[in-house]
Amino acid sequence: MEIINRRKRMMSVARRLRREEHRTIGLVPTMGALHEGHLSLIHEARALCDVVVVSVFVNPTQFGPTEDFAAYPRDLTRDSALLAEYNVDYVFAPAAEEMYPPGAATFVTVEGLSNELEGASRPGHFRGVTTVVAILLNVVRPHFAFFGQKDAQQAIIIKQMVRDLAFEAEIVVLPIVREQSGLALSSRNTYLDPQQRQAAAVINGALLRARAAYDDGEHNATRLIDMVREQIGQEPLARIDYVSINDATTLEKLDKIDDQPALLSIAVFIGKTRLIDNVVLGESKKNVVSANA
Ligand code: PAF
């Protein structure tokens, strides 16, 4: 496994792999602090591609001024050891100046979709995400890029960007990986103390309750959202940022779920930690993988 810090080196490796060796490249973009959710993406990339590149970069442009950029967990030594175990071929771990050289002034924005849900709570967040992912796609030139369904809106926006800007990569979205308690894996879970971690299980519990109600025939979005709010409201450590039901492809807000799959998504503060989760209503239940499976 080679750890690459320079854009130029990564680009020349990618060029050789593609042009001379005709190998299929899979990219797993991460911000490090790797967990089983990332490992499930790497596992799939390994199965689908000849060469697996994992990027580890805590991207400053996707954090708001009052968010946790400085505190975000960073441990490249631990991450690299894990990635070596998983037979990753290249770790691309650039410094900020490599990704955004002095004078960089170009951003990529997917209009509309970027202002909904997470975008409404975190202005500018998706502009940072799409910009960094566009740079990564240009530098690594992957045939496939792998993302988690936990960041469902991010995946939708990246797919739209890839379509609009004619990137070659195919975007692969893989199911949420959960702890035994149902808590969706996230690097931010490391901020939770044991009591908060236990309390955070209420998020998935509420989503599952709404899904059961949906399966029993409740297709009214307001009533499903109220159900989620009511259950989360019973947990004193939890404070809801938003609960929403949207079309799972266009993110259009829905009053009623008809034939199309709907994304029930949620953001909740547990103490100071902001967690997101979601479930898709109206599709098979394959969307849940346990970390212990
Ligand atoms: O999902 C993440 O970890 C980040 O948003 C990503 C895609 C690596 C871009 O920084």
Side-chain angles (χ1 to χ4, degrees):
M1 185 178 85
E2 180 182 342
I3 300 178
I4 298 179
N5 304 117
R6 301 263 176 236
R7 236 196 221 220
K8 270 205 172 135
R9 167 76 188 147
M10 188 69 248
M11 288 172 97
S12 93
V13 166
R15 209 161 26 237
R16 172 174 53 76
L17 291 168
R18 271 190 167 248
R19 287 205 194 140
E20 292 164 30
E21 299 182 17
H22 306 290
R23 306 232 269 161
T24 321
I25 303 174
L27 169 66
V28 182
T30 81
M31 298 206 299
L34 302 176
H35 51 65
E36 295 280 341
H38 298 112
L39 298 178
S40 78
L41 305 183
I42 292 165
H43 188 259
E44 188 68 13
R46 194 64 288 166
L48 211 62
C49 306
D50 299 325
V51 177
V52 176
V53 180
V54 176
S55 62
V56 176
F57 179 63
V58 183
N59 174 34
T61 63
Q62 69 187 74
F63 289 79
T66 60
E67 293 182 357
D68 56 342
F69 174 66
Y72 199 85
R74 292 162 171 87
D75 189 347
L76 187 58
T77 309
R78 173 194 168 272
D79 288 345
S80 306
L82 208 53
L83 294 173
E85 250 177 65
Y86 272 70
N87 278 334
V88 165
D89 299 286
Y90 297 95
V91 179
F92 180 46
E97 312 80 67
E98 277 295 309
M99 292 301 271
Y100 302 107
T106 306
F107 286 87
V108 177
T109 305
V110 174
E111 303 280 344
L113 288 176
S114 297
N115 301 325
E116 306 298 323
L117 304 170
E118 282 300 283
S121 290
R122 305 181 64 191
H125 169 66
F126 286 117
R127 181 176 95 136
V129 170
T130 40
T131 300
V132 82
V133 172
I135 298 169
L136 288 169
L137 293 178
N138 279 330
V139 170
V140 180
R141 301 272 323 282
H143 297 81
F144 297 92
F146 297 82
F147 296 87
Q149 169 67 15
K150 188 176 81 67
D151 297 296
Q153 185 180 8
Q154 168 173 281
I156 291 170
I157 289 173
I158 289 170
K159 280 186 185 170
Q160 174 90 38
M161 176 188 78
V162 162
R163 250 193 324 272
D164 291 352
L165 299 185
F167 282 104
E168 230 184 286
E170 186 173 318
I171 302 303
V172 182
V173 182
L174 293 168
I176 297 176
V177 181
R178 298 182 182 281
E179 290 184 357
Q180 197 100 57
S181 71
L183 175 63
L185 296 194
S186 161
S187 303
R188 290 191 169 96
N189 291 354
T190 56
Y191 299 151
L192 302 171
D193 67 27
Q195 198 194 357
Q196 291 173 327
R197 208 176 185 101
Q198 210 173 350
V202 75
I203 301 170
N204 184 238
L207 294 180
L208 290 183
R209 182 172 168 221
R211 186 166 69 190
Y214 170 84
D215 290 343
D216 284 345
E218 179 58 89
H219 289 196
N220 180 291
T222 308
R223 281 201 288 271
L224 290 167
I225 288 170
D226 285 348
M227 213 174 273
V228 172
R229 285 188 168 278
E230 197 251 331
Q231 183 148 348
I232 304 256
Q234 288 174 26
E235 172 48 66
L237 297 183
R239 181 169 58 81
I240 293 173
D241 182 0
Y242 66 78
V243 186
S244 189
I245 295 185
N246 301 66
D247 182 285
T249 316
T250 63
L251 292 186
E252 183 196 339
K253 223 178 178 95
L254 299 176
D255 296 326
K256 187 170 183 306
I257 306 161
D258 292 320
D259 300 332
Q260 75 282 44
L263 181 73
L264 166 56
S265 60
I266 184 165
V268 175
F269 285 95
I270 302 284
K272 287 194 175 125
T273 306
R274 187 173 178 281
L275 301 173
I276 59 171
D277 200 347
N278 68 79
V279 68
V280 178
L281 306 174
E283 67 155 24
S284 71
K285 291 181 186 167
K286 66 178 173 10
N287 189 31
V288 178
V289 175
S290 159
N292 302 312

